[in-house]
Amino acid sequence: MHDAAYTTRDRRYTWDHAMSLVDRMLLREISMPLAVGVLAILQLLVLVQLLQLNEVVFSSSMRLADLGRVTVAFAPHFLVLALPLAYMLGLQLGVGRLAADRELLGLSSAGFSPVRLFRVPVAIALGLAVVVVVLTRWAEPWGLQQVNQVLNNVIKRELQSGLLPGVFNDNLPRFMVYVAGTEQQRWRGVLIEDQVGDGSPLLVLADEGRIEDAGGEALRLHLERGELHRMEPRGETVVRFAQGTFLVGVQERVARKNRFYGVEAALPYAELGVRARQYAKNGWVEDVVRLRVEQGRRWAVPLACVCFALLGVPLAVLAGGARGSAYLITLGSFVLFYVASRLGLALALRGLPGPLAAFLPDLVVAALSVPLIHRLRVRGVPLSR
């Protein structure tokens, strides 16, 4: 009787000890490629984004401090993408290596259920999901706001410094500007023509002038000792002034060069609902849909880590540890998730509820994982080829 009780306790201890070893082994095998993958993918995404913004990033108005600030501010936005992607890669390499070395096959032969392989990956996925929630709710909007602020300032500085003396410049919206000469950021012999709008054309002549940032999406022209000429049906109107100011809106130029201008991801989570209600009152249906989908995305992307855990473990076991398969499966999972997210947005614009459209990629990945998990549970770990 005592021998039987001892044997039972001894077997339970051996089982728990073996599983703790397996858990530590899985944690070690997944963590290393996960950490390396996050750094590599994050650097690649930031570099590609900077290259896409080359018209602004590599302009003469971009300072080294601005470039560093933009690079750091991009990190939260791209970590939201890099963490699930690197996690899927870590799963494929970590679990796949154990499958390739036939360690999983040995555990399966000893009576360990393959389903218990999900314990550590799901725990890691839940931890990453918490991190991604923090990123999408707070860090990502803050980072994109910083990116917009820096890029907008660089674009406005470029417009300010792009006026060449002795040339008719059309860089500023609405205005054609001619400057005879410059000295210490001040203009001499200024001619400004404005023929845009419903009113009569304007011609402004001034002895001196300068341009400065007016804040927001505007520049301010300061002119001194000049004349304003306006042609009207009854004749020409001339106004002389000692000092005059023009406000120049540069929203169109900023929006054209800054691809992150006005994106929903830059809005704080609380503001998404407020704007959606305002847009609904104005009848802007498409904008309301995009905001609702963005609200759902802030929760759907963190859940993607858990969905990738459910899909990634059986795929890694079935692939048998082939390194090429690990990269292909990771890339395929990312493409699938991206296509499903774009499809969800398209369906939302056609009437699908925004939260359901946001969670569509998670539902697709989870649905694909169900038959794979069932196959792994029923057939066990296959022989590696």
Side-chain angles (χ1 to χ4, degrees):
M1 185 74 177
H2 291 289
D3 293 340
Y6 174 78
T7 304
T8 302
R9 288 195 301 269
D10 185 58
R11 289 177 178 175
R12 185 180 298 112
Y13 169 77
T14 304
W15 182 282
D16 294 340
H17 182 64
M19 284 310 301
S20 64
L21 289 176
V22 172
D23 291 342
R24 290 198 298 270
M25 195 162 44
L26 278 171
L27 181 62
R28 183 178 66 251
E29 294 295 335
I30 295 174
S31 298
M32 285 301 297
L34 170 61
V36 174
V38 168
L39 292 176
I41 295 172
L42 180 61
Q43 292 178 16
L44 177 63
L45 293 175
V46 172
L47 179 61
V48 169
Q49 190 57 66
L50 291 176
L51 292 176
Q52 290 181 349
L53 294 169
N54 58 14
E55 188 177 357
V56 179
V57 170
F58 299 114
S59 67
S60 58
S61 301
M62 173 67 79
R63 301 163 183 163
L64 186 60
D66 294 329
L67 182 59
R69 185 178 168 189
V70 168
T71 303
V72 173
F74 267 140
H77 174 64
F78 289 114
L79 270 175
V80 172
L81 176 62
L83 284 174
L85 187 58
Y87 172 67
M88 188 65 169
L89 179 62
L91 271 182
Q92 299 307 307
L93 295 176
V95 178
R97 195 202 69 78
L98 296 180
D101 293 345
R102 301 200 176 189
E103 296 180 28
L104 298 182
L105 182 61
L107 290 172
S108 180
S109 301
F112 293 100
S113 173
V115 178
R116 300 196 68 174
L117 293 174
F118 288 90
R119 185 161 61 179
V120 171
V122 170
I124 297 175
L126 291 175
L128 291 177
V130 174
V131 175
V132 177
V133 165
V134 174
L135 290 173
T136 57
R137 289 292 297 271
W138 295 285
E140 183 184 24
W142 172 85
L144 291 180
Q145 289 170 12
Q146 296 299 310
V147 168
N148 276 318
Q149 183 179 350
V150 174
L151 294 183
N152 292 353
N153 290 336
V154 171
I155 294 170
K156 289 194 290 185
R157 284 202 303 269
E158 185 180 2
L159 291 174
Q160 290 177 247
S161 61
L163 297 175
L164 301 177
V167 178
F168 285 93
N169 300 274
D170 59 355
N171 294 336
L172 296 179
R174 294 188 50 174
F175 296 106
M176 179 75 70
V177 181
Y178 177 88
V179 179
T182 59
E183 183 179 350
Q184 296 182 352
Q185 297 184 346
R186 294 184 64 85
W187 302 338
R188 292 182 292 101
V190 183
L191 181 150
I192 299 176
E193 183 184 21
D194 177 13
Q195 293 186 351
V196 180
D198 299 331
S200 302
L202 295 176
L203 179 64
V204 182
L205 304 174
D207 291 340
E208 294 183 356
R210 69 182 187 276
I211 186 171
E212 63 183 27
D213 191 350
E217 298 158 356
L219 296 173
R220 183 182 292 111
L221 299 177
H222 287 282
L223 303 177
E224 298 179 6
R225 300 185 300 279
E227 297 179 347
L228 186 149
H229 298 256
R230 182 167 188 163
M231 298 300 300
E232 296 180 345
R234 291 183 250 176
E236 181 182 7
T237 300
V238 179
V239 177
R240 292 180 174 83
F241 57 87
Q243 291 186 343
T245 301
F246 288 89
L247 282 179
V248 183
V250 293
Q251 180 178 2
E252 184 271 334
R253 298 297 175 93
V254 169
R256 181 170 57 85
K257 292 188 176 184
N258 180 8
R259 63 188 302 266
F260 289 94
Y261 177 82
V263 295
E264 294 84 5
L267 296 175
Y269 184 80
E271 191 173 341
L272 291 172
V274 176
R275 288 207 180 187
R277 289 189 292 271
Q278 292 176 348
Y279 291 169
K281 293 179 181 178
N282 295 333
W284 301 341
V285 179
E286 182 174 338
D287 293 326
V288 173
V289 170
R290 293 183 181 277
L291 290 173
R292 295 302 185 193
V293 173
E294 176 62 24
Q295 278 185 306
R297 185 193 72 88
R298 304 282 175 98
W299 297 105
V301 174
L303 185 60
C305 298
V306 179
C307 295
F308 280 155
L310 300 178
L311 179 66
V313 171
L315 284 177
V317 174
L318 294 174
R323 188 172 291 270
S325 298
Y327 295 115
L328 287 177
I329 290 173
T330 302
L331 180 61
S333 302
F334 169 72
V335 172
L336 173 66
F337 193 87
Y338 176 78
V339 171
S341 64
R342 302 304 299 176
L343 177 61
L345 178 58
L347 293 176
L349 294 173
R350 292 176 177 268
L352 186 70
L356 180 59
F359 281 91
L360 181 62
D362 296 333
L363 296 175
V364 171
V365 173
L368 291 176
S369 68
V370 171
L372 295 174
I373 294 174
H374 176 72
R375 176 179 177 178
L376 182 64
R377 185 177 64 85
V378 173
R379 299 186 181 182
V381 179
L383 289 172
S384 60
R385 294 186 291 271

